[in-house]
Amino acid sequence: MRNLVVLGGSSHPDFTEKICNRLGISEGKTRLSKFSNNETSVEMKESVRGKDVYIIQSACGSVNDNFIELLIMINGCKIASAKRITAVIPHFPYSRQPDVPFKQSGAPLTFLPPQTPQYQPNQPNKAEDVSKQLMRKLGHQAAIQQQEEEEPKKKTPYREWRARPGVLIADLLTCAGADHVITMDLHDAQYPGFFDCPVDNLTSLYTVIKYIRLNIPDYSTAVLVSPDAGGAKRATSIAEKLFMDFALVHKERMKAHSQKKESMLVGDVRGRNCILIDDITDTSYTITKAARLLREKGAKKIYALVSHAILSADAIEHIGESCIDELIVSNSVPQDQHMTHPKIKVFDVSPLFSEAIRRTHFGESLSKLFEAEN
């Protein structure tokens, strides 16, 4: 392919190599290093002038360092007069911190600002004279002043708030010089709206469907389960395409004034295999808790398919001790150290990104990547 350069960051070199092999090109030459004070250094070892550049960097490991490295690589290509710069980010950083506040249940806040009172012009009361109106007004003001002196002043507590870096991350990428962003399975659908450049949010939906058809025995009799309400739409979409039954793990407060939430299962899984579907698992708390509930309700074998398996902290130990029989994850983040685990299997999404890069380079439509394979 002419005028196409694929550069890889330090976060996921194996993923970059697979994409280049599938495209039939060699990886662009760069030198990525750090100074003694941990500042990132990027050197371009080949010319990118007038070329279509794709920079591959995933949000894993040292997320902040990898993101800064991506920004420096984008800016370096922009200064070197690249024709177009596309940031290919399989797992997008800070995707779980949107700018729109959400409730604890996962639904966006729906409250409205206080309604503006209707304007009512002051009309003089002709029935009473001015002296009576003045005495009534003075008496009312005195009563209010006395009430304020009697009641102690209550200090309003400070309401905590959380910084939401969604727009900031988008602005940093565009200001660095990114003309296009390609990612996969964003946690929040609102994220592309933060960008001033095109964003292609690929989906691993059909890769997951293909894996279920080829690798899970008797999948047609199994039940697809969403571990929370936020992933219900994704799980139901897969269930409809595979003509499978669907169940949902729902959290609710059993008592009105209690902060403790209890999980309840909506659907019947007794005596059947279950397939949990989720987009991200970090500490694996949500998915292992859902698996335990399914086992208590009589489920036989439990599979779990996850798009982005970060598996930080003690996630591997939790999965090993959980009721999950098989955890299938994508290689959007490196999984080399988890491949030896008996419960973990990996499916490859690099063909999806390589085809997106090829189609984008030649100006073809990406709509075929969002259609089911027969």
Side-chain angles (χ1 to χ4, degrees):
M1 296 184 186
R2 297 184 60 185
N3 297 326
L4 173 64
V5 178
V6 176
L7 304 175
S10 59
S11 64
H12 203 347
D14 293 340
F15 196 79
T16 306
E17 183 180 357
K18 288 182 178 180
I19 289 178
C20 291
N21 292 339
R22 193 170 182 86
L23 293 173
I25 61 175
S26 58
E27 183 181 347
K29 298 177 181 179
T30 59
R31 185 187 176 204
L32 309 175
S33 59
K34 287 186 177 294
F35 294 108
S36 57
N37 62 348
N38 287 327
E39 288 184 358
T40 301
S41 173
V42 176
E43 295 181 23
M44 300 295 174
K45 294 294 185 178
E46 64 178 74
S47 174
V48 295
R49 180 178 293 274
K51 295 185 178 180
D52 193 9
V53 180
Y54 294 83
I55 304 175
I56 302 172
Q57 184 83 302
S58 192
C60 54
S62 300
V63 177
N64 295 329
D65 288 347
N66 292 334
F67 183 68
I68 292 296
E69 183 181 81
L70 173 63
L71 296 178
I72 296 175
M73 293 178 72
I74 292 172
N75 190 252
C77 293
K78 180 182 179 181
I79 295 172
S81 302
K83 182 180 180 180
R84 181 176 61 179
I85 304 169
T86 301
V88 181
I89 312 174
H91 174 42
F92 201 88
Y94 293 90
S95 61
R96 290 181 291 177
Q97 300 186 49
D99 274 30
V100 175
F102 279 74
K103 298 178 182 178
Q104 292 183 355
S105 61
L109 294 178
T110 56
F111 59 82
L112 298 175
Q115 187 177 4
T116 305
Q118 296 181 355
Y119 173 72
Q120 295 180 354
N122 294 325
Q123 298 180 356
N125 189 354
K126 299 180 180 180
E128 298 181 353
D129 55 9
V130 178
S131 60
K132 290 183 179 180
Q133 293 181 20
L134 181 60
M135 291 298 295
R136 184 181 294 107
K137 187 174 182 180
L138 292 174
H140 181 64
Q141 290 179 351
I144 293 177
Q145 184 176 1
Q146 183 178 2
Q147 185 177 4
E148 290 178 351
E149 291 176 354
E150 291 177 354
E151 294 182 358
K153 295 183 179 180
K154 299 180 181 179
K155 295 183 178 180
T156 305
Y158 177 73
R159 185 177 182 180
E160 297 180 359
W161 63 281
R162 180 181 298 174
R164 301 183 183 275
V167 173
L168 174 63
I169 298 299
D171 289 345
L172 287 173
L173 285 168
T174 52
C175 289
D179 302 306
H180 184 204
V181 175
I182 298 176
T183 185
M184 183 184 76
D185 289 341
L186 283 170
H187 187 66
D188 289 297
Q190 61 179 315
Y191 233 94
F194 301 153
F195 287 83
D196 295 329
C197 65
V199 177
D200 286 317
N201 181 25
L202 305 178
T203 176
S204 63
L205 184 72
Y206 300 108
T207 308
V208 170
I209 291 175
K210 185 177 180 181
Y211 186 93
I212 293 174
R213 282 175 173 169
L214 298 178
N215 297 280
I216 296 182
D218 300 328
Y219 71 89
S220 58
T221 59
V223 181
L224 270 170
V225 184
S226 175
D228 52 27
K233 184 177 180 181
R234 175 182 173 84
T236 52
S237 178
I238 297 175
E240 289 174 359
K241 291 175 174 60
L242 292 175
F243 303 100
M244 299 171 61
D245 292 334
F246 170 74
L248 170 68
V249 177
H250 177 62
K251 298 178 182 177
E252 67 173 12
R253 293 187 179 92
M254 303 305 294
K255 297 181 180 179
H257 302 286
S258 175
Q259 296 296 324
K260 185 179 179 181
K261 292 184 177 181
E262 295 186 11
S263 299
M264 58 180 296
L265 180 65
V266 181
D268 184 19
V269 299
R270 186 175 299 277
R272 303 172 71 181
N273 295 338
C274 294
I275 305 174
L276 284 162
I277 301 291
D278 207 356
D279 59 341
I280 297 177
T281 179
D282 189 355
T283 60
S284 73
Y285 174 77
T286 300
I287 202 165
T288 53
K289 187 177 180 181
R292 184 170 66 249
L293 178 62
L294 293 176
R295 186 56 55 84
E296 292 174 356
K297 297 297 182 179
K300 294 170 63 178
K301 193 169 184 178
I302 301 175
Y303 301 88
L305 274 84
V306 181
S307 299
H308 307 295
I310 303 172
L311 302 179
S312 62
D314 299 330
I316 298 297
E317 296 180 6
H318 294 162
I319 291 170
E321 299 171 356
S322 70
C323 299
I324 297 175
D325 296 297
E326 194 172 306
L327 175 65
I328 303 105
V329 301
S330 78
N331 61 342
S332 62
V333 296
Q335 303 293 342
D336 297 337
Q337 59 182 348
H338 305 144
M339 290 293 291
T340 57
H341 197 282
K343 286 189 176 183
I344 298 179
K345 293 185 179 180
V346 180
F347 64 91
D348 189 13
V349 293
S350 61
L352 178 66
F353 282 91
S354 60
E355 182 63 15
I357 291 174
R358 189 196 67 80
R359 287 177 175 270
T360 303
H361 178 65
F362 288 112
E364 300 176 9
S365 173
L366 297 184
S367 60
K368 289 291 183 181
L369 303 179
F370 299 92
E371 296 177 1
E373 299 179 359
N374 294 326

